[in-house]
Amino acid sequence: DTAVSQTPKYLVTQMGNDKSIKCEQNLGHDTMYWYKQDSKKFLKIMFSYNNKELIINETVPNRFSPKSPDKAHLNLHINSLELGDSAVYFCASSPTGSQPQHFGDGTRLSIL
Amino acid sequence: GNSVTQMEGPVTLSEEAFLTINCTYTATGYPSLFWYVQYPGEGLQLLLKATKADDKGSNKGFEATYRKETTSFHLEKGSVQVSDSAVYFCALYTARQLTFGSGTQLTVLP
């Protein structure tokens, strides 16, 4: 009964490939997020969706595209992967924006 | 813009030592403040929160008080355990966005 689940947990791929990371939450929350955590543990918000509507779109390359088919899912698609995309990507959700966020366990993306 | 400054780590303590991790913030308006903890290989978990000035958040022996006059939210614990070894993140929420500090790695030795 995992609250926020991400797949895959590990993703190793070549530069230039396209990949997707899936996220699902079973908490009934309205808001979902994607974060990137670099090798120094620094966390940065990438996107935020509220009821399938994009509300935060930080300055990330347009190779990154979020997709929210319904309010329980927020997937992240990345085109033309680059070495600098190597990081841990976290999905999170919250009932509303001001409530504490629940995080998934992360997807460790490694670009060869 | 909004920002959170945390004391740099890593911090290494012996079991039962007193812990303080400093956190100060810059924000417009009246943010909510949080401490999150990240254990190895896991996502972040909420440790405690405070939503207005002078509120004290507490959980699992950890405490932090929202100090508006000093724009601070320092994390404290009176007696740390080996199981507290993790990365601790201070964060603020305002303007529909959660902003994190850079994280502080804590290692507790037996």
Side-chain angles (χ1 to χ4, degrees), chain A residues 4 6 9 37 41 43 88-92 101-107, chain B residues 36-46 86-87 89 100:
Chain A
V4 181
Q6 296 179 226
K9 190 171 175 68
Q37 186 175 47
K41 300 288 189 184
L43 267 166
V88 181
Y89 292 84
F90 286 100
C91 178
Q101 296 179 16
H102 295 249
F103 283 76
D105 285 341
T107 296
Chain B
Y36 283 83
V37 59
Q38 184 178 25
Y39 297 102
E42 298 183 11
L44 279 72
Q45 302 173 26
L46 178 69
V87 181
F89 292 90
F100 285 92

Side-chain angles (χ1 to χ4, degrees), chain A residues 5 7 24 26 31 39 44 46 54 64 73 80 83-84 96 103:
Chain A
S5 60
T7 53
E24 175 181 5
N26 62 5
T31 310
S39 58
K44 185 170 170 54
M46 300 174 71
L54 180 66
F64 290 79
H73 295 84
S80 303
L83 289 175
T96 64
F103 283 76

Side-chain angles (χ1 to χ4, degrees), chain A residues 5-110:
Chain A
S5 60
Q6 296 179 226
T7 53
K9 190 171 175 68
Y10 299 97
L11 186 51
V12 181
T13 189
Q14 304 269 3
M15 220 165 42
N17 283 351
D18 302 339
K19 290 294 179 186
S20 291
I21 307 172
K22 296 186 176 181
C23 178
E24 175 181 5
Q25 54 96 2
N26 62 5
L27 298 167
H29 290 168
D30 285 341
T31 310
M32 295 185 72
Y33 312 81
W34 277 108
Y35 289 89
K36 179 180 181 181
Q37 186 175 47
D38 65 22
S39 58
K40 295 183 179 179
K41 300 288 189 184
F42 185 72
L43 267 166
K44 185 170 170 54
I45 181 79
M46 300 174 71
F47 303 102
S48 171
Y49 268 73
N50 182 266
N51 270 320
K52 297 168 49 179
E53 179 186 348
L54 180 66
I55 56 171
I56 291 176
N57 184 1
E58 289 295 303
T59 307
V60 299
N62 57 14
R63 299 181 294 103
F64 290 79
S65 54
K67 295 278 192 304
S68 183
D70 55 62
K71 77 172 195 177
H73 295 84
L74 181 62
N75 303 323
L76 183 66
H77 189 76
I78 316 169
N79 289 329
S80 303
L81 281 157
E82 299 177 358
L83 289 175
D85 298 332
S86 295
V88 181
Y89 292 84
F90 286 100
C91 178
S93 72
S94 64
T96 64
S98 62
Q99 295 296 312
Q101 296 179 16
H102 295 249
F103 283 76
D105 285 341
T107 296
R108 183 174 293 277
L109 173 63
S110 300

Side-chain angles (χ1 to χ4, degrees), chain B residues 2-18:
Chain B
N2 302 323
S3 67
V4 177
T5 302
Q6 271 183 249
M7 114 189 219
E8 286 195 22
V11 173
T12 303
L13 296 173
S14 298
E15 207 165 22
E16 299 183 3
F18 185 85

Side-chain angles (χ1 to χ4, degrees), chain B residues 65-77:
Chain B
T65 301
Y66 190 145
R67 301 280 187 207
K68 194 170 189 308
E69 63 278 10
T70 54
T71 60
S72 64
F73 193 54
H74 304 321
L75 182 68
E76 295 183 337
K77 185 174 185 182

